């Protein structure tokens, strides 16, 4: 209701207010409503979204409950959802206002917006300084310059709003509440730069017109827009994101350095032209000579100044000799700046170029090491040539990329996703892996190893023990006879061989040995899956292991290579072993239960024994304390030696007649 009244006050459509109040009161009420909206005053504090989210019953919990209670809880939830704001927008994204006033920096649209802002900043970097010095630029197409200037100012204004509502991560979650984003923006010192870069310094055009500048009045009034260069950090941000996203970071770094060189030369050229104006055009041979029809043109002025700046900063070539103190000082400062700046730039470019060839240099060092080893061991020329050709093929195909070392920095989850994207289609081509669990395929994908074979290399020979299976990724393979001439079949990309030998099926007539010779026709890339890796993975998937064994048996039956009797006997032995293992597991569980019970009894008896010992110790301490107190309470003895003095015996008291009669009575009783 309060929100509706505020909206009516803002839009001016409240009929009651129009009839009963005057215009000043309506304006005052509108300003108060705007102030409340901007400062978020007089608003109820939103409930704790964490407690409300996890303490209330969800829709799944309401199934099967009383309809009346369900209706009441639904009403309460709707009421709380209306009052909820802030973090609820972060988690659920239910508020359109929060989503509308927040910007996700990871989106591609935000990256494009930074590119637009970078163009505006680059425009001001180049043309604000250039137009402030070379007056003819302002006099040509003045409306175009005004349009571009205020277009950049509008981009700066929009970028301030975007920067103010850029999301940030808090405890791993993207904050999208507009109020929190603004508070985070103003808590940093970056907003000072944004405000300073948007100050309307163009107001000085009222008394300092851009059209008044000329050969007798420099710089032009456009110099007041130098504060627009303070938005430079946004361009650096775009550079950093581009360098991270591009596939050619070294080339981009070189382009960025070249751009910085050109900007520095441009600014130095403008500075030379201003100093020539301050000293007087044509007063000596060092300053720019403005006289003459050719020298007075804008093209000649800028090209000569740029040429002089390039020669000075790069310290190459001959420049006119200075003739007064100011010229000498400026040239010395230029030389020093050129030496420092360009030494840094050249060093960076050299390191970039060397980084571009790091992989090539490392690969060349490895190849040189292999060559030296073969020369030391006197390997034949034919084998040495094959090794060199293998190195050349590896470099041409993959650039000698070590996948394991490159992906070692990534977590296992990301490595698995990359491997699935690269190798999953290849693994699905294996017949025994058709319709298997996705988890098994994901685990096997990480076990695949790429191997490269040269022309004429034998992948496997007949009679070898099968310890791995192969999947052809690229190249051609031939299945040949023992003579190496007769070709039985040709395998291409996607072909699989050796898959049955890695399953170790009992009853296989080949005894898990290779039944043919497979030779590479050219350079071939094959994925290898070792038997050990397969069985380590299948240990976690018993159902998949049974399925793969059954499919392997079907393939052996199809070729008549399965001994059914041996396979049945092995299955029975396997079943008996499994039953024995189950019995052992049950007995171990029973022993564990009994051991746990005994341990519990032992701990209980030990606790009782400790209590009894504690009581005994307490009683002993009490008796000791009482004995000590009694000893201290006795009267002190004299200092004589009792051992040397005779002891005095007490005299017997006379017994009266009455007492003797009483004693006799007691004895008789």
């Amino acid at each position: 209701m309060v929100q509706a009244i505020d909206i009516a006050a803002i839009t001016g459509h409240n009929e009651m207010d129009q009839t009963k109040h005057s215009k000043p009161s309506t304006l005052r009420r509108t300003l108060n409503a705007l102030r409340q909206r901007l400062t978020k005053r007089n608003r109820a504090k939103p409930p704790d979204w964490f407690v409300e989210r996890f303490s209330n019953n969800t829709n799944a919990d309401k199934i099967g409950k009383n309809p009346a209670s369900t209706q009441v809880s639904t009403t309460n939830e709707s009421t709380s959802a209306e009052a909820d704001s802030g973090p609820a927008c972060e988690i659920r994204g239910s508020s359109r206002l929060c989503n509308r006033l927040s910007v996700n920096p990871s989106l591609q649209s935000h990256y494009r917006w930074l590119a637009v802002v970078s163009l505006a900043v680059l425009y001001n970097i180049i043309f604000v300084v250039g137009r402030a010095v070379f007056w003819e630029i302002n006099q040509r197409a003045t409306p175009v310059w005004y349009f571009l200037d205020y277009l950049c100012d509008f981009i700066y204004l929009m970028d301030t709003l975007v920067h103010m509502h850029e999301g940030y991560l808090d405890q791993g979650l993207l904050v999208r509440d507009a109020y929190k984003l603004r508070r985070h923006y103003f808590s940093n010192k970056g907003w000072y730069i944004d405000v300073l870069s948007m100050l309307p310094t163009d107001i000085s055009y009222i008394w300092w017109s851009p059209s008044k500048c000329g050969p007798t009045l420099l710089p032009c009034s456009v110099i007041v827009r130098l504060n627009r260069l303070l938005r430079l950090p946004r361009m650096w941000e775009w550079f950093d994101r581009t360098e991270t996203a591009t596939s050619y970071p070294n080339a981009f770094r070189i382009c960025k350095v070249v751009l910085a060189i050109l900007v520095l030369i441009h600014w130095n050229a403008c500075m030379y032209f201003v100093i020539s104006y301050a000293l007087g055009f044509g007063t000596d041979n060092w300053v720019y000579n403005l006289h003459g029809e050719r020298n007075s043109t804008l093209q000649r002025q800028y090209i000569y100044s740029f040429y002089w700046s390039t020669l000075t900063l790069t310290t190459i070539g001959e420049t006119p000799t200075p003739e007064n103190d100011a010229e000498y000082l400026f040239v010395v400062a230029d030389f020093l700046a050129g030496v420092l700046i360009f030494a840094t730039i050249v060093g960076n470019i050299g390191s970039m170029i060397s980084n571009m060839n790091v992989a090539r240099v490392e690969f060349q060092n490895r190849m040189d090491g292999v060559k030296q080893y073969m020369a030391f061991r006197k390997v034949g020329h034919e084998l040495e040539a094959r090794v060199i050709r293998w190195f050349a093929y590896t470099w041409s195909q993959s650039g000698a990329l070590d996948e394991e070392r490159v992906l070692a920095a990534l977590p296992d989850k990301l490595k698995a996703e990359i491997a699935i994207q690269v190798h999953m289609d290849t693994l699905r081509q294996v017949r025994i892996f058709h319709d298997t669990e996705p988890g098994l395929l994901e685990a096997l994908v990480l076990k695949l190893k790429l191997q490269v074979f040269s022309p004429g290399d034998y992948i496997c020979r007949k009679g070898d023990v099968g310890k791995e299976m192969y999947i052809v990724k690229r190249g051609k393979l031939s299945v040949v006879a023992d003579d190496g001439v007769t070709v039985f079949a040709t395998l291409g990309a996607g072909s699989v061989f050796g898959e049955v030998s890695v399953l170790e099926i009992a009853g296989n007539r080949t005894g898990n040995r290779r039944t043919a010779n497979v030779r590479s026709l050219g350079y071939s890339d094959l994925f290898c899956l070792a038997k050990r890796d397969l069985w380590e993975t299948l240990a976690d998937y018993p159902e998949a292991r049974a399925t793969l064994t059954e499919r392997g048996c079907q393939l052996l039956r199809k070729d008549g290579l399965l001994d059914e009797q041996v396979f049945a006997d092995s299955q029975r032995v396997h079943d008996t072993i499994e039953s024995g293992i189950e019995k052992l597991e049950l007995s171990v569980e029973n022993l564990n239960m009994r051991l746990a019970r005994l341990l519990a009894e032992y701990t209980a008896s030990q606790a009782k024994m400790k209590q009894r010992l504690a009581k005994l110790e307490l009683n002993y301490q009490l008796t000791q304390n009482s004995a000590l107190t009694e000893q201290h309470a006795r009267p002190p003895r004299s200092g004589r030696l009792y051992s040397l003095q005779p002891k005095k015996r007490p005299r017997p008291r006379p017994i009266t007649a009455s007492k003797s009669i009483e004693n006799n009575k007691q004895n008789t009783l």
Side-chain angles (χ1 to χ4, degrees):
M1 186 64 186
V2 175
Q3 188 176 3
I5 292 175
D6 292 342
I7 295 173
I10 293 172
T11 56
H13 293 293
N14 193 343
E15 297 179 357
M16 181 179 63
D17 293 337
Q18 288 180 357
T19 57
K20 292 184 179 182
H21 300 281
S22 60
K23 292 183 178 179
S25 62
T26 304
L27 179 61
R28 185 167 54 254
R29 189 172 60 258
T30 303
L31 293 176
N32 290 332
L34 286 172
R35 190 182 300 110
Q36 291 176 4
R37 282 184 171 277
L38 293 176
T39 59
K40 292 187 177 292
R41 295 177 182 173
N42 300 332
R43 292 193 180 185
K45 185 178 179 180
D48 192 347
W49 64 272
F50 184 86
V51 177
E52 182 177 337
R53 178 180 176 86
F54 294 99
S55 62
N56 291 343
N57 295 328
T58 58
N59 295 329
D61 298 332
K62 297 174 186 176
I63 298 175
K65 293 184 178 180
N66 189 6
S69 63
T70 305
Q71 185 177 2
V72 172
S73 62
T74 306
T75 306
N76 295 333
E77 287 182 358
S78 62
T79 306
S80 63
E82 292 177 359
D84 192 10
S85 62
C89 297
E90 302 174 30
I91 306 299
R92 296 191 295 270
S94 59
S95 177
R96 295 182 179 179
L97 183 61
C98 292
N99 292 332
R100 191 176 301 170
L101 293 179
S102 63
V103 179
N104 190 353
S106 61
L107 295 179
Q108 193 69 18
S109 57
H110 182 263
Y111 173 75
R112 297 192 185 99
W113 172 252
L114 287 179
V116 174
V117 177
S118 301
L119 288 177
V121 174
L122 187 61
Y123 165 80
N124 288 317
I125 288 174
I126 295 175
F127 288 100
V128 167
V129 180
R131 289 164 54 197
V133 174
F134 298 98
W135 60 87
E136 290 191 15
I137 300 179
N138 276 327
Q139 297 175 2
R140 297 182 181 181
T142 304
V144 175
W145 297 121
Y146 279 121
F147 172 75
L148 293 176
D149 288 344
Y150 295 117
L151 177 62
C152 292
D153 293 346
F154 177 75
I155 293 174
Y156 278 20
L157 178 62
M158 296 300 298
D159 182 62
T160 302
L161 296 176
V162 172
H163 197 189
M164 188 184 302
H165 295 91
E166 284 183 357
Y168 64 95
L169 294 178
D170 185 13
Q171 297 181 0
L173 298 176
L174 182 66
V175 178
R176 305 194 67 178
D177 182 23
Y179 175 69
K180 287 187 175 182
L181 295 178
R182 289 193 292 270
R183 187 175 62 184
H184 179 265
Y185 171 74
F186 286 110
S187 64
N188 299 325
K189 295 183 179 180
W191 70 275
Y192 293 107
I193 299 176
D194 292 345
V195 172
L196 290 176
S197 65
M198 291 192 306
L199 290 178
T201 54
D202 299 355
I203 297 176
S204 61
Y205 288 173
I206 298 174
W207 62 85
W208 188 8
S209 177
S211 60
K212 293 181 180 180
C213 63
T216 59
L217 181 60
L218 283 180
C220 298
S221 58
V222 187
I223 197 68
V224 299
R225 293 179 57 86
L226 277 177
N227 62 325
R228 305 306 194 268
L229 274 62
L230 295 176
R231 198 61 70 107
L232 192 63
R234 297 291 278 177
M235 188 172 71
W236 292 126
E237 182 179 355
W238 181 78
F239 282 163
D240 293 338
R241 291 189 59 176
T242 304
E243 184 177 345
T244 305
T246 183
S247 300
Y248 305 96
N250 292 315
F252 179 77
R253 294 188 192 108
I254 293 175
C255 294
K256 186 170 65 173
V257 170
V258 171
L259 177 63
I261 293 172
L262 293 177
V263 170
L264 290 175
I265 294 175
H266 168 73
W267 285 357
N268 193 58
C270 297
M271 185 66 65
Y272 167 75
F273 197 78
V274 168
I275 291 177
S276 298
Y277 159 77
L279 298 177
F281 291 112
T283 55
D284 54 30
N285 294 327
W286 185 85
V287 298
Y288 182 77
N289 186 9
L290 194 62
H291 302 291
E293 182 179 357
R294 185 177 182 182
N295 294 338
S296 61
T297 60
L298 174 63
Q299 181 178 359
R300 180 70 175 184
Q301 294 171 8
Y302 183 76
I303 290 177
Y304 181 83
S305 300
F306 195 87
Y307 168 75
W308 184 93
S309 175
T310 305
L311 292 181
T312 305
L313 289 180
T314 56
T315 63
I316 57 175
E318 293 292 335
T319 57
T321 304
E323 298 184 6
N324 55 44
D325 296 341
E327 295 173 357
Y328 276 111
L329 290 175
F330 179 71
V331 171
V332 169
D334 257 9
F335 280 148
L336 292 177
V339 169
L340 295 176
I341 294 173
F342 276 85
T344 305
I345 292 174
V346 170
N348 290 333
I349 292 178
S351 63
M352 293 175 193
I353 295 175
S354 62
N355 290 333
M356 292 174 66
N357 297 325
V358 166
R360 179 65 181 178
V361 171
E362 183 180 357
F363 177 78
Q364 191 68 37
N365 291 334
R366 284 190 294 171
M367 188 169 62
D368 293 342
V370 174
K371 288 180 180 179
Q372 292 177 3
Y373 174 79
M374 290 188 297
F376 177 73
R377 294 298 180 183
K378 297 180 180 181
V379 178
H381 294 287
E382 183 180 355
L383 182 57
E384 184 178 357
R386 289 177 57 192
V387 171
I388 294 174
R389 287 197 298 268
W390 182 88
F391 271 107
Y393 172 79
T394 305
W395 174 259
S396 63
Q397 293 297 321
S398 61
L401 185 64
D402 191 355
E403 296 183 2
E404 294 184 359
R405 188 181 64 180
V406 171
L407 301 179
L410 297 178
D412 293 338
K413 186 64 177 177
L414 289 179
K415 285 194 290 187
E417 292 183 3
I418 293 175
I420 289 169
Q421 290 283 339
V422 176
H423 306 312
M424 182 60 77
D425 294 337
T426 303
L427 194 61
R428 288 185 184 276
Q429 296 175 1
V430 184
R431 289 179 293 177
I432 61 174
F433 294 143
H434 287 174
D435 302 328
T436 53
E437 298 181 28
L440 176 62
L441 294 179
E442 292 177 4
L444 290 177
V445 158
L446 296 174
K447 307 292 186 180
L448 292 178
K449 300 293 186 296
L450 182 63
Q451 295 183 1
V452 179
F453 292 91
S454 301
D457 290 346
Y458 278 90
I459 290 87
C460 61
R461 293 180 181 273
K462 186 177 180 180
D464 293 343
V465 178
K467 296 182 181 180
E468 57 274 321
M469 58 173 292
Y470 296 95
I471 306 171
V472 182
K473 178 186 177 183
R474 185 189 300 113
K476 294 289 185 180
L477 307 177
S478 60
V479 182
V480 298
D482 295 336
D483 56 3
V485 178
T486 306
V487 178
F488 296 118
T490 302
L491 306 178
S495 300
V496 181
F497 58 94
E499 68 273 19
V500 179
S501 60
V502 297
L503 294 177
E504 293 184 351
I505 300 175
N508 189 357
R509 299 183 189 277
T510 61
N512 290 329
R513 294 182 178 271
R514 304 297 187 187
T515 58
N517 303 312
V518 181
R519 186 176 59 190
S520 176
L521 295 178
Y523 288 100
S524 304
D525 298 344
L526 278 71
F527 285 115
C528 175
L529 179 61
K531 182 190 297 184
R532 180 185 302 175
D533 296 335
L534 176 62
W535 283 102
E536 287 179 357
T537 307
L538 290 177
D540 300 329
Y541 298 91
E543 297 180 358
R545 179 175 58 187
T547 304
L548 292 178
T549 304
E550 182 61 28
R551 291 180 180 175
C553 291
Q554 292 177 1
L555 294 175
L556 290 176
R557 290 191 187 100
K558 182 179 179 181
D559 298 333
L561 298 176
L562 181 64
D563 192 344
E564 297 291 346
Q565 184 64 32
V566 176
F567 179 72
D569 294 340
S570 65
Q571 289 295 110
R572 284 194 295 270
V573 171
H574 182 70
D575 295 338
T576 55
I577 292 174
E578 286 186 351
S579 61
I581 291 173
E582 291 178 358
K583 291 179 181 179
L584 287 174
E585 289 178 351
L586 291 175
S587 60
V588 169
E589 289 180 0
N590 293 329
L591 290 174
N592 288 332
M593 293 176 63
R594 294 178 62 184
L595 181 60
R597 191 181 300 111
L598 291 174
L599 287 174
E601 293 176 356
Y602 172 73
T603 53
S605 62
Q606 192 178 12
K608 291 180 180 179
M609 187 65 68
K610 286 182 179 180
Q611 292 178 359
R612 290 178 181 177
L613 290 175
K615 289 181 180 179
L616 289 174
E617 290 178 356
L618 181 61
N619 293 332
Y620 177 74
Q621 290 179 358
L622 291 175
T623 54
Q624 290 290 330
N625 293 333
S626 62
L628 291 174
T629 54
E630 290 178 358
Q631 185 178 0
H632 288 296
R634 291 177 182 176
R637 296 178 180 179
S638 60
R640 61 186 177 181
L641 297 174
Y642 287 93
S643 60
L644 300 177
Q645 295 179 2
K647 296 182 179 180
K648 293 182 180 181
R649 295 181 179 178
R651 294 179 180 179
R653 293 181 182 179
I655 301 174
T656 60
S658 61
K659 287 186 178 181
S660 63
I661 294 170
E662 289 179 357
N663 291 334
N664 292 331
K665 288 181 181 180
Q666 290 179 356
N667 292 330
T668 57
L669 290 173

